[in-house]
Amino acid sequence: MSLDGLSRRHFATLAGGAALGLSAAPVHPADAGRSEVRAAAENSLAGFPADFRWGTATSAYQIEGAINEDGRGPAIWDRFAHTPGTIIDNSNADVADDHYRLYRDDVQLMKALGATTYRFSIAWPRVFPDGSGTPNPKGLDFYDRLIDELLANGIEPFATLYHWDLPQALQDRFGGWMSRDTAKAFADYAAYVAERLTDRVSHIFTINECSRLVHLGHGLGIDAPGLKLPQAELNQVRHNVALGHGLSVQAIRARGRPGTKVGPAENLVVCIPAIDTPANVRAAEIATRELNGGYLTVILEGQYIDGFLAQAGKDAPKYTAEDLRIISSPIDFLGLNIYKPDHYVLAADNERGFTLAPFPASFPHMDADWLRFGPEAMYWAPRHAAKLWGVRSIYITENGTSSVDEPAADGNVYDLDRVMYLRNYLQQLQRATSQGVPVAGYFLWSLIDNFEWADGYQKRFGIYRVDFKTQRRTPKLSASFYREVIKQNSVV
Ligand code: BGP
């Protein structure tokens, strides 16, 4: 199938692929003939669309604590974090940010930023302590309170159903995502949440970062449940997770209020033209489609493309045509977590049509080796999604960086590197929206420092610093920066 000819039927709200304002060359028509510098300056002045949504993001396990409160069952991350040798600083998230008790204060932090939305996740083991069966009567009470508090403060709640805290019971019963039964249990949980919360929550994300939960959790053993499966089993896990996404989309449609909007939040493999020529742009599009073959491409196209199947070979997953129909159930928006560039791409006269340039050792990165500094990722990722798959509504569901964040002598945290990172990434986002790429909102990761998975509390991603001994929250310089961006609806 040709790239341009890709079906757009996978978007529920799609109006026949109307003009996206995108052309093969990444230039706004109004900019034609002007210098790059001048065009960039004018785009900056244009700011973001008037109805652009600004928010922050968090996840349940990373901030809530209260793991034994109100009937919550154990999650795979509880078991994993309590296994010696898994978390770099031997910490766990038993208390984390104590957000379960301090959520009102945290809503005030959002309000102080002027944020209009908030992306949080719901802990499945609070709702179904045993993974499935009878829901815990108190399971959603906390989220009811949180949602009411957000709405009372003029902040729109966007909920994620799964941010990796699988009920341990499902892992014990049938190997968690190794079984299709987990995908079915996920749909039941999604249906229950949709029934209870969509009177006040109109946007739901299904699964956060399918690819990381599969590869770090089941391939590399770095995340819970800490498995190192062989390739064929890993591919089956991947397929089951994608199936869980599709089944939950259907469940939300069936049981949520009409008009509830639903989509995934995926950390796609970001492919950037190494040098911005039409041929390299095309090559980066081809690479995007192929290298996301196991996740976004199958969700948006309903097929495992040849490049993906060829690479999987004898380890390809087992699936039916019906599975593919479910996985590609129409979605209303695409959530993209964007932190870094994954590949710089050059056009090539080979079978794939592209080559991936190797990263030089000197390529700049933030306070983690994996966190490469490549702001243009924020431009190309949504642009490719809009161009390749006709996506009409995109949310940047996460973007941010860790920083060393030591308080200065005056007690303030001058996180200049985070401000620099955010400014540059947001400028690229503004470049995208100025050209008509349909990005509807941005969620900064993260509101507060939190439990950064296997990095424990060693990596701080918050724009508010948290003293984990006292639970005191202090705004960093980046909080002031973000407040200003929201106020101006622009970044210069
Ligand atoms: C989020 C996690 C964050 C952070 C981020 C990193 O979903 O909850 O804590 O780890 O992902 O992105 P990536 O998974 O692409 O490395």
Side-chain angles (χ1 to χ4, degrees):
M1 193 184 314
S2 87
L3 290 176
D4 292 327
L6 283 178
S7 150
R8 288 165 181 187
R9 75 189 161 82
H10 301 293
F11 279 84
T13 53
L14 195 72
L20 291 170
L22 291 172
S23 59
V27 179
H28 188 284
D31 295 336
R34 293 185 194 156
S35 79
E36 263 284 302
V37 175
R38 173 119 178 257
E42 288 182 7
N43 283 342
S44 304
L45 291 175
F48 287 89
D51 55 354
F52 197 77
R53 287 170 155 115
W54 293 105
T56 56
T58 63
S59 88
Y61 190 70
Q62 293 178 273
I63 63 168
E64 285 178 0
I67 60 165
N68 295 313
E69 227 58 35
D70 298 327
R72 177 188 182 274
I76 55 172
W77 266 97
D78 297 323
R79 170 81 59 90
F80 187 71
H82 280 271
T83 306
T86 55
I87 311 297
I88 198 156
D89 53 3
N90 295 315
S91 64
N92 57 55
D94 293 3
V95 178
D97 294 273
D98 204 14
H99 171 78
Y100 198 75
R101 269 172 278 275
L102 300 176
Y103 68 96
R104 283 197 188 84
D105 300 348
D106 291 338
V107 171
Q108 289 312 308
L109 303 182
M110 299 171 208
K111 202 173 177 189
L113 296 170
T116 50
T117 53
Y118 173 51
R119 173 179 176 237
F120 63 97
S121 83
I122 296 168
W124 183 351
R126 290 199 192 282
V127 187
F128 288 93
D130 201 31
S132 57
T134 315
N136 169 18
K138 290 185 173 173
L140 284 174
D141 289 2
F142 168 70
Y143 302 102
D144 276 330
R145 293 195 292 275
L146 172 65
I147 290 163
D148 290 345
E149 187 72 13
L150 288 164
L151 291 172
N153 284 279
I155 298 168
E156 201 183 357
F158 279 49
T160 305
L161 293 175
Y162 186 68
H163 204 121
W164 312 342
D165 43 0
L166 188 79
Q168 180 66 45
L170 297 179
Q171 195 68 40
D172 295 342
R173 214 176 303 149
F174 33 65
W177 291 107
M178 291 171 73
S179 164
R180 295 168 71 95
D181 288 340
T182 292
K184 290 184 200 143
F186 181 58
D188 293 343
Y189 154 67
Y192 179 73
V193 172
E195 218 166 69
R196 285 280 313 272
L197 300 186
T198 52
D199 58 334
R200 287 157 295 150
V201 178
S202 55
H203 292 75
I204 298 185
F205 299 106
T206 55
I207 295 179
N208 181 71
E209 297 192 359
C210 294
S211 58
R212 172 156 168 184
L213 90 89
V214 172
H215 294 279
L216 267 66
H218 299 78
L220 300 174
I222 293 171
D223 283 356
L227 301 177
K228 294 181 182 171
L229 298 175
Q231 203 54 42
E233 284 175 56
L234 193 63
N235 261 327
Q236 205 60 49
V237 167
R238 195 201 45 66
H239 179 76
N240 293 341
V241 170
L243 187 66
H245 156 80
L247 287 170
S248 71
V249 170
Q250 296 189 345
I252 293 161
R253 298 245 185 267
R255 305 274 288 278
R257 287 269 172 120
T260 303
K261 293 190 164 45
V262 58
E266 189 56 28
N267 59 336
L268 83 168
V269 176
V270 181
C271 300
I272 296 174
I275 301 168
D276 195 342
T277 66
N280 288 340
V281 170
R282 189 74 178 157
E285 288 167 1
I286 295 168
T288 298
R289 182 167 176 253
E290 183 173 318
L291 301 181
N292 289 289
Y295 300 95
L296 284 187
T297 308
V298 67
I299 286 174
L300 294 166
E301 295 184 25
Q303 60 170 338
Y304 285 125
I305 56 174
D306 294 346
F308 171 78
L309 290 175
Q311 185 151 32
K314 64 173 179 25
D315 296 326
K318 299 194 173 31
Y319 60 93
T320 65
E322 177 60 10
D323 286 358
L324 296 181
R325 268 196 296 280
I326 294 168
I327 291 171
S328 59
S329 299
I331 54 175
D332 300 296
F333 53 74
L334 181 62
L336 298 177
N337 292 1
I338 299 172
Y339 287 88
K340 60 180 193 310
D342 291 292
H343 297 290
Y344 286 85
V345 182
L346 292 155
D349 200 9
N350 59 20
E351 213 177 293
R352 292 171 106 186
F354 64 87
T355 53
L356 306 176
F359 281 96
S362 54
F363 198 89
H365 62 81
M366 306 301 292
D367 177 41
D369 291 346
W370 64 268
L371 225 171
R372 292 185 203 105
F373 181 69
E376 59 271 31
M378 189 57 101
Y379 170 76
W380 288 105
R383 187 184 188 284
H384 289 330
K387 176 93 187 298
L388 280 170
W389 295 300
V391 177
R392 290 291 303 277
S393 179
I394 296 171
Y395 287 96
I396 305 304
T397 30
E398 287 180 24
N399 170 243
T401 182
S402 58
S403 165
V404 174
D405 286 348
E406 280 305 326
D410 63 4
N412 290 319
V413 177
Y414 298 100
D415 54 341
L416 297 171
D417 51 349
R418 181 177 288 107
V419 171
M420 183 272 293
Y421 173 99
L422 292 172
R423 180 186 294 119
N424 280 276
Y425 276 68
L426 283 167
Q427 281 169 347
Q428 292 289 328
L429 185 60
Q430 192 164 290
R431 177 183 167 209
T433 57
S434 300
Q435 293 179 9
V437 178
V439 180
Y442 170 91
F443 296 88
L444 197 159
W445 183 276
S446 181
L447 178 69
I448 44 181
D449 293 337
N450 56 50
F451 178 74
E452 179 54 25
W453 310 111
D455 285 328
Y457 298 97
Q458 300 299 302
K459 295 289 180 201
R460 294 175 174 272
F461 275 80
I463 55 173
Y464 285 90
R465 182 184 169 82
V466 175
D467 177 333
F468 290 102
K469 290 201 188 81
T470 61
Q471 291 298 346
R472 194 156 167 252
R473 279 88 158 125
T474 315
K476 303 176 189 176
L477 186 66
S478 54
S480 307
F481 166 78
Y482 193 42
R483 190 183 55 224
E484 204 54 33
V485 170
I486 295 174
K487 194 163 109 197
Q488 309 282 340
N489 199 38
S490 174
V491 57
V492 187

